[in-house]
Amino acid sequence: ASLSGLSVPIGLFEKQRNGSSDGAPMEWEFPVSGGTQVKVKIFLIELFNGVTGPGQRVFDIALEGVVPSAMDDIDMFARAGAKKAFMIESVVTVSGDGILDIDFINTGLENPVVSGFEIVEFNEASSRKASQTLVVKEPQNTDYQFDVYPNPTSGILNFDLENNNELPYKLEVFNTLGIKIHELMGNGSGKEQIDLFKLGASHGMYLIVLKVGNSDRELHKIILR
């Protein structure tokens, strides 16, 4: 494996953790004090000989329920080629529960993989240092408020969007295989209700993905009982 200039032990990239074969998100939880701003570095490499070109393994990574632009549609082969390591990073504030949630989201192609993590407290001085990739600081969202309920649900799901600047939005519902089962698009605020069972859903977890204007995508996990 090639380290592509990374100052980390080469042994880090000799093994990987893979997402499950059923397509469910690969979920990681790290104890971090609530309210702490951290820089999350994620180390990746394409080792699978079955991936021979771009577009064969593409996935997203959500930090605290939001997919930052630096971790959207990650294609390791397109980024670095075969057996060449690289690192992506983003900054996020840990929620009040004291758990940093990192979710790898399958797009329906090869399963997500990861070689390692580095999580460090973020401060402005560290942000001035040279970096191999762009640091994306999560914006404080004032353009809209979104709520989806109840969760867990027995089938009926309500969406409540307060869109202060009348921005365009797209809301998508995915099963754990990455298959889209519903989509809503519009402008401005609104309330919607859907019946998951009428969409052919079965019991389990579903992902609600919302994008409003140019904001990062917002991810919600829903349990259908």
Side-chain angles (χ1 to χ4, degrees):
S2 170
L3 295 186
S4 303
L6 296 178
S7 299
V8 293
I10 192 170
L12 178 68
F13 300 100
E14 293 176 352
K15 294 184 179 181
Q16 294 177 308
R17 291 294 182 96
N18 294 64
S20 63
S21 59
D22 63 2
M26 178 168 56
E27 302 176 342
W28 296 81
E29 296 183 345
F30 298 93
V32 179
S33 298
T36 303
Q37 194 173 46
V38 294
K39 179 185 289 186
V40 180
K41 298 181 179 182
I42 300 178
F43 298 93
L44 302 168
I45 189 171
E46 184 56 76
L47 294 176
F48 181 42
N49 291 330
V51 173
T52 57
Q56 297 176 20
R57 189 198 305 274
V58 182
F59 55 91
D60 298 336
I61 302 176
L63 306 180
E64 292 292 273
V66 174
V67 179
S69 56
M71 299 183 181
D72 187 22
D73 291 335
I74 299 166
D75 186 331
M76 297 190 297
F77 195 99
R79 171 70 180 267
K83 296 180 174 58
K84 293 183 179 179
F86 66 99
M87 178 268 291
I88 57 175
E89 62 187 12
S90 187
V91 173
V92 67
T93 299
V94 180
S95 63
D97 64 358
I99 298 294
L100 170 62
D101 293 303
I102 304 178
D103 299 323
F104 288 66
I105 305 164
N106 196 336
T107 64
L109 301 171
E110 291 289 342
N111 295 333
V113 296
V114 64
S115 294
F117 301 92
E118 181 182 354
I119 301 166
V120 295
E121 188 169 0
F122 178 81
N123 56 63
E124 291 301 325
S126 67
S127 71
R128 300 188 189 104
K129 296 180 181 179
S131 176
Q132 295 163 297
T133 57
L134 176 67
V135 175
V136 179
K137 187 174 181 180
E138 303 299 337
Q140 295 297 316
N141 174 42
T142 58
D143 292 329
Y144 70 92
Q145 297 293 325
F146 177 67
D147 192 19
V148 54
Y149 59 92
N151 185 23
T153 177
S154 297
I156 299 298
L157 205 55
N158 298 284
F159 303 111
D160 190 352
L161 176 64
E162 295 182 13
N163 192 348
N164 300 327
N165 293 330
E166 300 296 308
L167 297 169
Y169 68 86
K170 180 166 72 171
L171 187 148
E172 300 168 295
V173 183
F174 295 88
N175 63 21
T176 54
L177 297 178
I179 299 172
K180 185 191 301 182
I181 65 171
H182 192 62
E183 178 179 288
L184 294 170
M185 298 180 67
N187 293 276
S189 301
K191 297 178 182 289
E192 300 280 352
Q193 184 180 86
I194 63 173
D195 187 331
L196 290 172
F197 286 119
K198 288 184 178 180
L199 298 175
S202 56
H203 300 286
M205 186 175 73
Y206 290 81
L207 302 177
I208 311 299
V209 180
L210 174 71
K211 184 171 179 63
V212 178
N214 293 321
S215 67
D216 289 332
R217 293 191 297 168
E218 183 174 327
L219 171 70
H220 295 261
K221 300 176 187 177
I222 298 296
I223 301 299
L224 175 58
R225 294 188 298 194

